[in-house]
């Protein structure tokens, strides 16, 4: 479907996301302690966001279980029920296609493997 390439940097986390030979997004995380990874297009506009949620000191230290949230942008407000009403919508330039969303999920798996496992 697509490819996620990691670029080396001493303290920043840099990724390029491709569909075939065409790059559709880049992730330039500003530092080691930032757990929010924003996918941006070639113009620097937000497409999606991958967050690693903090679940508490004891849980994070004593287990190897991580919880990730991938935010693809706004949704129909009437479709939100329960706790989903409390989640703020992400303003995105355009919605991602299904293939682009699959590459974003692969990015989340790669992030967990590279930095948090």
């Amino acid at each position: 479907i697509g490819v996620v390439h990691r670029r080396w940097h001493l303290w920043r986390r840099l990724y390029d996301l491709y569909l075939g030979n065409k790059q559709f997004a880049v992730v330039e995380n500003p530092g080691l302690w930032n757990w929010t990874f924003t996918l941006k297009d070639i113009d620097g506009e937000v497409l999606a966001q991958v967050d690693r949620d903090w679940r508490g000191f004891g849980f994070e230290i004593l287990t190897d279980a991580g919880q990730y949230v991938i935010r693809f942008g706004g949704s129909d407000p009437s479709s939100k029920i329960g706790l989903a009403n409390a989640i703020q919508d992400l303003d995105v330039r355009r919605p991602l296609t299904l293939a682009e969303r699959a590459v974003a999920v692969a990015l989340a798996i790669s992030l967990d493997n590279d930095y948090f496992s």
Side-chain angles (χ1 to χ4, degrees), residues 80-88:
K80 290 184 173 183
I81 58 172
L83 295 175
N85 287 325
I87 298 174
Q88 183 180 9

Side-chain angles (χ1 to χ4, degrees), residues 9-13 29-35 37 115-116:
H9 193 276
L10 187 58
W11 65 85
R12 294 176 68 193
R13 299 166 181 170
N29 188 285
L32 289 174
W33 298 108
N34 190 339
W35 291 0
F37 301 85
Y115 299 106
F116 301 110

Side-chain angles (χ1 to χ4, degrees), residues 2 15 23 39 43 55 65 75 94 99 111 114:
Y15 288 88
Q23 183 178 359
L39 283 75
D43 298 324
R55 297 179 70 188
S75 62
R94 66 173 178 82
L111 289 170
D114 292 344

Side-chain angles (χ1 to χ4, degrees), residues 23-90:
Q23 183 178 359
F24 73 91
V26 65
V27 175
E28 295 181 347
N29 188 285
L32 289 174
W33 298 108
N34 190 339
W35 291 0
T36 301
F37 301 85
T38 304
L39 283 75
K40 295 183 179 181
D41 65 4
I42 195 74
D43 298 324
E45 299 291 329
V46 175
L47 295 175
Q49 208 171 51
V50 178
D51 292 324
R52 186 176 196 280
D53 285 349
W54 176 259
R55 297 179 70 188
F57 183 75
F59 193 85
E60 294 289 337
I61 295 299
L62 299 175
T63 68
D64 194 24
Q67 181 174 347
Y68 292 84
V69 176
I70 303 175
R71 298 171 61 202
F72 291 116
S75 62
D76 180 17
S78 64
S79 67
K80 290 184 173 183
I81 58 172
L83 295 175
N85 287 325
I87 298 174
Q88 183 180 9
D89 282 335
L90 178 68

